[in-house]
Amino acid sequence: MLVLRLLNVVAPAYFLCISLVTFVLQIFVFIPSMFRDPSTTPLFSPALLHGALFLFLSANALGNYVLVIQSSPEDLGKDLNLGKGAEVADWLDGSRSPVSALPSTHFCRLCARVTQRHDHHCFFTGNCIGSRNMRNFIMFCLYTSLACLDSLVAGMAYISATLSMSFADPLAFLTLLPHSISQFFSGALLSSEMFVILMLYLWLGIGLACAGFCCHQMLLILRGQTRYQVRKGMVVRARPWRENLQEVFGKKWLLGLLIPVLNVESNYRRQKEK
């Protein structure tokens, strides 16, 4: 439990550190290197367009990241009838399920809250993912993946120009790291260049991981399930996939693709208002 709490603090700091390093490399290293002659560079140069694209992806990734943290799932422990003598700790092993509780409610040890439509606890945001912030979490994974892959392409272009090498051969990227390590220890490679090469593999790993997680999460949404329901073997009522999508993304789904906006309200809140 202590390790999980420590990870809950370290993981967000690690993500923010990687984001800061990526931003500095893109703005102050990669993008300026694309300008051959600033005095003759047209207004809509590839460097400026790439910079605008990177800022758009970064703003959406960080914006949705903040909304995931701020839009915490509701604490149902205050509103649910847990019964006489019942403690919130009784939820730990799933042995208690109050009659007034809605499906897929779950007590999180780290958040110390009973949340509705619990999906999982995200250590990189330090928050539970539920009905209120699921859409923002999906957008966060999507734009983080795109920002990492964009940085990967820009970094490869920078390394290609700096080291005068070509990535036309697919094996060139796979053999880049072992060759770079040998050149670094022999003194033929600068520390800054070696750092950028290490970041290339880090961006590739984070980008593919976020893309895979986003696709897996979308598949569960289309089925109307959460990861918690799948893990517990819960049976969900079959509904059309359009209703499942609208429940998570709402009617303003197109706006949520372009700018970070708050998620739709949870079913619990809507039923409570009725």
Side-chain angles (χ1 to χ4, degrees):
M1 189 64 179
L2 180 60
V3 176
L4 294 179
R5 292 187 180 276
L6 182 61
L7 182 62
N8 203 43
V9 176
V10 174
Y14 173 79
F15 170 78
L16 294 177
C17 181
I18 294 297
S19 302
L20 179 61
V21 171
T22 302
F23 181 82
V24 171
L25 288 177
Q26 281 270 24
I27 300 300
F28 297 102
V29 179
F30 299 158
I31 295 179
S33 67
M34 298 181 185
F35 286 95
R36 299 303 179 185
D37 187 0
S39 62
T40 60
T41 299
L43 179 61
F44 296 101
S45 66
L48 290 178
L49 293 178
H50 175 79
L53 175 62
F54 173 73
L55 292 177
F56 171 76
L57 297 177
S58 300
N60 276 276
L62 293 177
N64 283 286
Y65 180 81
V66 173
L67 291 179
V68 169
I69 298 176
Q70 291 183 345
S71 303
S72 300
E74 302 96 329
D75 184 3
L76 304 185
K78 300 178 180 179
D79 302 312
L80 295 177
N81 181 19
L82 298 179
K84 295 183 179 180
E87 299 292 342
V88 177
D90 294 335
W91 288 70
L92 292 174
D93 57 356
S95 59
R96 300 189 65 90
S97 180
V99 178
S100 57
L102 295 176
S104 70
T105 52
H106 174 66
F107 176 78
C108 178
R109 297 170 180 263
L110 298 176
C111 295
R113 290 178 305 187
V114 180
T115 57
Q116 182 231 346
R117 197 161 180 79
H118 176 86
D119 189 86
H120 69 285
H121 182 90
C122 176
F123 290 98
F124 284 98
T125 61
N127 197 10
C128 277
I129 306 301
S131 57
R132 291 186 62 187
N133 54 9
M134 175 58 73
R135 181 177 67 177
N136 297 123
F137 179 75
I138 294 293
M139 292 295 101
F140 161 68
C141 292
L142 174 63
Y143 280 106
T144 299
S145 175
L146 295 177
C148 287
L149 297 180
D150 177 81
S151 301
L152 175 64
V153 173
M156 292 176 62
Y158 173 78
I159 291 297
S160 178
T162 303
L163 302 182
S164 300
M165 63 178 302
S166 174
F167 289 98
D169 185 3
L171 296 178
F173 183 80
L174 298 178
T175 58
L176 176 62
L177 183 59
H179 290 169
S180 301
I181 294 177
S182 61
Q183 292 178 2
F184 174 74
F185 285 105
S186 64
L189 195 65
L190 299 177
S191 300
S192 59
E193 297 170 347
M194 186 63 196
F195 178 76
V196 172
I197 292 175
L198 293 176
M199 289 298 299
L200 293 181
Y201 290 91
L202 182 61
W203 288 325
L204 177 63
I206 295 177
L208 293 179
C210 289
F213 194 88
C214 184
C215 294
H216 175 69
Q217 203 71 39
M218 284 298 302
L219 180 61
L220 292 178
I221 292 175
L222 291 174
R223 294 176 177 177
Q225 294 178 309
T226 63
R227 294 179 62 187
Y228 175 73
Q229 290 174 335
V230 173
R231 188 169 67 252
K232 294 296 183 179
M234 297 180 179
V235 179
V236 297
R237 181 172 59 89
R239 294 187 309 175
W241 62 270
R242 294 181 182 272
E243 294 184 8
N244 296 328
L245 281 179
Q246 186 174 0
E247 181 182 10
V248 175
F249 291 93
K251 298 181 179 180
K252 299 180 181 180
W253 62 270
L254 183 59
L255 181 63
L257 290 177
L258 301 177
I259 59 175
V261 292
L262 290 175
N263 201 352
V264 294
E265 294 184 344
S266 65
N267 290 337
Y268 174 76
R269 178 172 297 183
R270 289 199 295 265
Q271 292 180 9
K272 185 178 178 181
E273 290 178 352
K274 292 180 181 180

